[in-house]
Amino acid sequence: MYISHYGASRSVWLSPDIRFGRNRLLHMLILGYAAFWAWMAVAPYNRFDWLLENLLIFVAVAVLTVTYPFFRFNNLAYALIAVFLALHTYGASFSYNTTPIDMLMHRYFELQRDMYDRVVHASYGLLLAYPLFQFMRRVVGLRGFWSYALTVTTILATGAFYELIEMWVANIVAPEIGVLFLGTQGDVWDSQHDMEVALYGAAVAMVITALARAVRRLD
């Protein structure tokens, strides 16, 4: 009975074939994130910067919605995506400018800068590598070493491209709040450090994924 319950629970998290109407876990993720987003949308630090930061969320939600009939992740991947979007939503509400989490970190650690934005960049690799890994295997058709390696390099490439997008948006759309939007905090290597921690996060995620898949094969 325990084995049957464990198998059913694992299926809820790992199967991509659950119909949306019956996928209560996905419903809970959507409702929970929507409620959190609405809460964070009340009185943000800078409304215009908040809107710019939320463009990423609008695009991500639109892509996930439009592609759902043709390709769906499992619930574990959707949960990881939801956590990343929540982390970004929280930072966007404060324009990544000294969030309460930054204040807490400054209290216990001797930091030279606010680090929450760096946490989100690391989470980009750590949390989104597994959904991308699923895409690489099921759509691109990669297997073995290359499914892991190209997932990590794609995270690095998209992270670098996002840094370019930030630069373009800051220069073209909102030069008057460019420094706030970019959040460099005087670090001339800020973009490179952001890409670095995303790379490390993706590498850790793929190691965990490889170990978990090995354990499942043994089971």
Side-chain angles (χ1 to χ4, degrees):
M1 182 176 179
Y2 172 77
I3 295 176
S4 176
H5 175 74
Y6 171 73
S9 176
R10 187 168 69 177
S11 177
V12 168
W13 283 100
L14 299 181
S15 174
D17 299 322
I18 305 173
R19 283 176 21 185
F20 180 78
R22 296 183 178 180
N23 197 340
R24 294 184 179 180
L25 183 57
L26 183 55
H27 299 165
M28 292 171 60
L29 287 172
I30 293 171
L31 291 174
Y33 174 71
F36 182 73
W37 185 90
W39 179 30
M40 291 293 101
V42 177
Y45 179 83
N46 181 295
R47 179 63 69 179
F48 186 46
D49 181 72
W50 171 85
L51 181 60
L52 291 178
E53 298 283 4
N54 271 270
L55 290 177
L56 171 66
I57 296 171
F58 300 152
V59 171
V61 172
V63 170
L64 290 172
T65 302
V66 170
T67 59
Y68 187 85
F70 314 103
F71 175 84
R72 64 191 66 169
F73 298 103
N74 62 30
N75 282 336
L76 176 57
Y78 282 122
L80 294 173
I81 293 170
V83 172
F84 173 75
L85 291 180
L87 291 172
H88 177 67
T89 299
Y90 180 80
S93 182
F94 295 91
S95 296
Y96 285 94
N97 184 64
T98 312
T99 69
I101 293 178
D102 281 310
M103 296 180 191
L104 186 64
M105 287 192 290
H106 280 296
R107 178 179 300 177
Y108 293 103
F109 305 100
E110 295 183 5
L111 301 175
Q112 301 300 316
R113 70 188 300 278
D114 296 336
M115 295 298 293
Y116 183 75
D117 68 319
R118 201 63 47 81
V119 170
V120 175
H121 280 283
S123 298
Y124 175 73
L126 184 64
L127 298 175
L128 298 191
Y130 176 68
L132 180 60
F133 175 76
Q134 281 190 31
F135 181 85
M136 289 292 189
R137 290 181 64 86
R138 290 167 48 199
V139 176
V140 182
L142 296 176
R143 291 292 184 271
F145 169 80
W146 289 110
S147 61
Y148 298 96
L150 288 184
T151 294
V152 174
T153 55
T154 301
I155 287 290
L156 177 61
T158 54
F161 185 62
Y162 180 73
E163 296 296 330
L164 292 176
I165 292 174
E166 279 191 331
M167 179 189 69
W168 294 331
V169 170
N171 285 332
I172 298 172
V173 179
E176 69 279 5
I177 63 167
V179 174
L180 178 63
F181 181 62
L182 293 175
T184 58
Q185 301 183 55
D187 182 2
V188 296
W189 301 106
D190 181 72
S191 297
Q192 288 82 355
H193 287 315
D194 290 345
M195 291 183 286
E196 177 188 30
V197 294
L199 173 65
Y200 296 158
V204 170
M206 288 298 93
V207 169
I208 294 173
T209 300
L211 292 175
R213 289 174 61 83
V215 170
R216 286 184 64 193
R217 283 195 294 270
L218 290 176
D219 289 342

